[in-house]
Amino acid sequence: MSYDRRTRIEQMRSADRARDRRNRVLVIGAGALVVAGLVTFGTYTILDKSDASASSMSGDDKGAKGSDQKDGDLATGPIEGEKSWDAAKLGRDHVQEDVKYPMKPPVGGDHNPVWMNCDGEVYKKAIPDVNAVHALEHGSVWVTYTNDAPASDVDKLADRVSKTPYSLMSPYKDQAGAIMLTAWGKQVTVDGADDPRVAQFFAHYVQGPQTPEPGAACTGGLSAP
């Protein structure tokens, strides 16, 4: 084989190898583009779903946070029309006799050794002040009402109390307002069951900071008279 022929064959082989390399590069590049496209599409799809899910969860979270914030606001803001008494001046002795309290319903003072059961108790008849005050000492909220309170409001309040440990409810004939809420050293008259001060008062004072004996029992005491 002549030198020229060998040279030409080698040139043709070199050209073939170069063409093969270009083809492989093109195939690999095309494959990479396809993979990249699939990855990009998959990532977009995942992110899109994640965003949608996050948006949905964000809405739920906002609702939950809104509720938490609302509860926090209820527990810290002032209560319009609330009356307060100096806890240091409210007696806490256990006595067997009746006590004449200066306010109706009483917000504290000396009381009977036996507390009124206050684990969401709704009493249909009046209960003894001296036992109810002991329940207040344990951190309960006492809801009282007169005959002037609308039956629908009484029912709504009874439903709230029945679902709230450390609360009790009873009729009270001689109080100033149709519906009143009382805790140890605290009291407010409300306009009805839907008055926002009801929720505020419960948030503030069910086992609230005013409680002389937080965590003390609200069962095992005196039942309905």
Side-chain angles (χ1 to χ4, degrees):
M1 184 182 295
S2 67
Y3 174 79
D4 291 339
R5 181 175 175 80
R6 288 198 304 270
T7 300
R8 186 175 178 185
I9 291 172
E10 186 61 33
Q11 288 175 342
M12 291 174 65
R13 288 176 177 173
S14 296
D16 289 341
R17 287 195 294 269
R19 185 170 59 253
D20 289 342
R21 284 197 298 271
R22 285 197 300 273
N23 289 340
R24 284 198 298 271
V25 169
L26 289 173
V27 169
I28 292 171
L33 288 174
V34 170
V35 171
L38 290 173
V39 170
T40 301
F41 176 76
T43 302
Y44 172 80
T45 303
I46 291 171
L47 290 175
D48 186 52
K49 289 182 179 179
S50 297
D51 289 343
S53 176
S55 297
S56 175
M57 290 178 66
S58 176
D60 293 342
D61 289 344
K62 287 178 181 178
K65 289 179 181 178
S67 297
D68 292 343
Q69 184 63 41
K70 185 176 181 181
D71 291 343
D73 291 343
L74 288 175
T76 57
I79 300 176
E80 182 182 354
E82 177 189 278
K83 295 180 179 180
S84 298
W85 285 259
D86 186 349
K89 296 180 180 179
L90 296 174
R92 292 181 53 200
D93 291 337
H94 289 177
V95 297
Q96 295 293 339
E97 66 273 10
D98 287 337
V99 178
K100 291 185 178 180
Y101 297 103
M103 74 294 288
K104 294 186 177 183
V107 300
D110 295 344
H111 48 269
N112 191 276
V114 180
W115 56 89
M116 205 73 205
N117 284 335
C118 47
D119 189 28
E121 312 293 338
V122 178
Y123 298 103
K124 300 299 184 182
K125 296 181 180 180
I127 59 178
D129 284 352
V130 289
N131 303 101
V133 169
H134 197 158
L136 299 182
E137 186 183 40
H138 289 188
S140 65
V141 164
W142 183 16
V143 178
T144 53
Y145 60 95
T146 69
N147 291 335
D148 293 330
S152 58
D153 284 336
V154 173
D155 290 342
K156 287 181 181 180
L157 290 167
D159 183 61
R160 174 184 283 273
V161 168
S162 67
K163 297 174 181 177
T164 308
Y166 287 96
S167 71
L168 67 164
M169 179 175 175
S170 68
Y172 204 100
K173 184 173 63 174
D174 298 328
Q175 66 184 25
I179 300 172
M180 298 179 70
L181 280 63
T182 303
W184 186 270
K186 304 289 182 179
Q187 193 168 77
V188 67
T189 299
V190 297
D191 297 329
D194 295 327
D195 189 320
R197 291 175 295 175
V198 174
Q200 279 186 294
F201 200 88
F202 271 74
H204 274 252
Y205 300 126
V206 170
Q207 285 287 286
Q210 86 295 340
T211 304
E213 296 181 3
C218 244
T219 60
L222 184 65
S223 299

